[in-house]
Amino acid sequence: MRKFNFLVIPIFLLALGCASTETKSKKSKSVDDFPEFVEGLYINTKSIRDQKKWSNLFEVMADRGMNTAVVDIQPYAPSLEQVNEAKKLGFYMVARIVNFEGGLLEKTPNAGRMASIQKSIRKACELGFPEIQLDYIRYADGGTNFSMPYEKRYESILGIIKEHKEKTKDTCRPETRWSADIFGRVPFIQNDIIGQKVEPFSEELNGLYPMLYPSHFYGLVHRVADPYGTIKDGLDLTVQRAKKDTKAVGWIQGFNMHVGPSKLSYVDYIKAQMLGAKHSKGHGFIVWNAGNEYVDTIKAYELYKSEITNSNSVSKSE
């Protein structure tokens, strides 16, 4: 598919040559600018350490039209060459920083752990990642060994986020975007013991990434069976509750778990989630597969793009 790229270069250059003075004066969009609509994959440490797999993944993603990658930084970060390779292909790069695996059990985090997290954040900023995504930025879901009201929990987690931003401003640029992964149930409920809530989080962060995997809505059969509606509803609610301009990007399920209730094939299940995100008020989706096995996801994405293209063609002709 890459050979077609060379056919569009002369047309592109011609378009540039014919651009008006007004167009030229406008700031050109940078690869570090947040995309109009995020479509991408999660990239794990194993893929980072395998240069061939890294290059192949990004080439396939670029060929199909994807524009974003969420990349692990711990325990092994990509090289500057790898990051630049992805950026040259046009990818918006997001650095995933794990904070507290499994969630915090104590009221306040260990100072050593905080220093380690901030070291990883600095590394991501040095590598030129325009966005820092905080994962596991919450209390443990299985219960903690202390009592604390909901509001205090929100204040505490926000305090950790603020400290990260303050302690790393010596390295991270002022324009660095900050985001966080939140539980998929958080947009649907008012309060949560894990210390995550859409409203206060959106006041401190540029983006929220609800983990809307339908398989994880345990006990809610209608959510598990409706991948399209679960993603769409989750993103709509996130946008509705967040402050204006906060980006809402859904983590969607690229793994074969509890797909059966939907009566869809695995590929169609993934496609349905992509369409749910596209038809929502949200700003995109990232596919999660822990092992970075994306053959079925790429098939689903091709079907999704075809359906979107056909739908747009029909709309224009009406």
Side-chain angles (χ1 to χ4, degrees):
M1 296 180 73
R2 295 184 66 79
K3 62 184 179 182
F4 293 115
N5 294 344
F6 298 105
L7 299 177
V8 301
I9 290 176
I11 297 173
F12 175 67
L13 292 176
L14 180 62
L16 283 179
C18 297
S20 66
T21 304
E22 180 181 355
T23 302
K24 287 180 179 179
S25 67
K26 292 180 180 178
K27 181 191 173 191
S28 59
K29 187 171 178 61
S30 163
V31 72
D32 286 344
D33 292 337
F34 191 86
E36 184 176 342
F37 190 81
V38 166
E39 297 176 347
L41 305 179
Y42 156 68
I43 310 297
N44 67 15
T45 297
K46 187 175 181 180
S47 296
I48 292 169
R49 303 192 76 157
D50 184 339
Q51 179 60 53
K52 184 176 180 180
K53 184 172 184 179
W54 171 278
S55 296
N56 286 342
L57 260 177
F58 278 97
E59 286 176 4
V60 169
M61 291 163 67
D63 283 345
R64 271 63 177 185
M66 291 185 178
N67 56 26
T68 302
V70 175
V71 183
D72 275 342
I73 297 299
Q74 312 131 305
Y76 188 88
S79 66
L80 181 59
E81 290 73 23
Q82 285 177 301
V83 175
N84 287 338
E85 175 187 355
K87 285 189 174 187
K88 285 178 181 177
L89 288 171
F91 283 91
Y92 178 71
M93 300 291 279
V94 181
R96 174 178 177 259
I97 309 290
V98 173
N99 281 246
F100 314 109
E101 191 80 47
L104 268 173
L105 290 171
E106 305 295 334
K107 285 186 178 181
T108 56
N110 175 279
R113 180 58 192 161
M114 287 290 282
S116 176
I117 297 165
Q118 290 156 14
K119 180 179 179 181
S120 295
I121 292 172
R122 290 191 189 91
K123 179 65 176 178
C125 288
E126 288 170 355
L127 289 170
F129 280 86
E131 180 173 328
I132 303 298
Q133 181 192 89
L134 305 174
D135 196 10
Y136 286 94
I137 186 77
R138 60 177 176 81
Y139 286 107
D141 189 35
T144 52
N145 52 12
F146 62 87
S147 296
M148 186 186 288
Y150 287 129
E151 291 302 324
K152 289 294 183 183
R153 288 174 182 254
Y154 305 142
E155 289 176 14
S156 179
I157 298 299
L158 286 177
I160 293 170
I161 294 172
K162 290 175 182 178
E163 182 175 337
H164 285 337
K165 293 166 75 172
E166 178 64 26
K167 292 288 182 68
T168 59
K169 67 181 184 181
D170 58 336
T171 306
C172 298
R173 298 173 298 171
E175 60 267 30
T176 297
R177 295 178 56 82
W178 293 82
S179 61
D181 296 329
I182 61 176
F183 265 18
R185 71 189 185 215
V186 168
F188 293 90
I189 61 178
Q190 189 59 34
N191 290 297
D192 201 299
I193 60 170
I194 62 172
Q196 293 183 339
K197 186 172 183 175
V198 171
E199 289 84 353
F201 263 45
S202 73
E203 290 294 331
E204 192 62 38
L205 297 163
N206 304 109
L208 298 177
Y209 290 68
M211 299 179 285
L212 295 168
Y213 320 124
S215 65
H216 283 41
F217 282 80
Y218 307 113
L220 298 176
V221 179
H222 67 292
R223 288 288 170 210
V224 177
D226 184 12
Y228 173 91
T230 297
I231 304 302
K232 184 180 184 303
D233 292 347
L235 285 173
D236 283 345
L237 284 168
T238 302
V239 172
Q240 179 182 317
R241 294 177 58 180
K243 74 172 185 179
K244 186 180 178 182
D245 298 330
T246 299
K247 303 301 183 183
V249 178
W251 277 106
I252 68 174
Q253 181 177 334
F255 50 92
N256 198 347
M257 179 180 177
H258 300 320
V259 171
S262 70
K263 309 298 183 184
L264 297 172
S265 69
Y266 178 35
V267 169
D268 284 341
Y269 185 88
I270 299 172
K271 185 193 76 170
Q273 295 176 83
M274 293 175 175
L275 287 170
K278 187 67 174 179
H279 296 155
S280 75
K281 296 175 183 177
H283 307 94
F285 60 83
I286 298 290
V287 183
W288 172 274
N289 181 286
N292 280 190
E293 301 297 331
Y294 287 125
V295 172
D296 291 304
T297 291
I298 294 300
K299 290 178 182 177
Y301 184 74
E302 290 172 341
L303 292 172
Y304 154 81
K305 292 293 281 189
S306 177
E307 189 162 330
I308 291 297
T309 300
N310 291 338
S311 177
N312 289 340
S313 297
V314 171
S315 296
K316 289 179 181 179
S317 65
E318 290 178 348

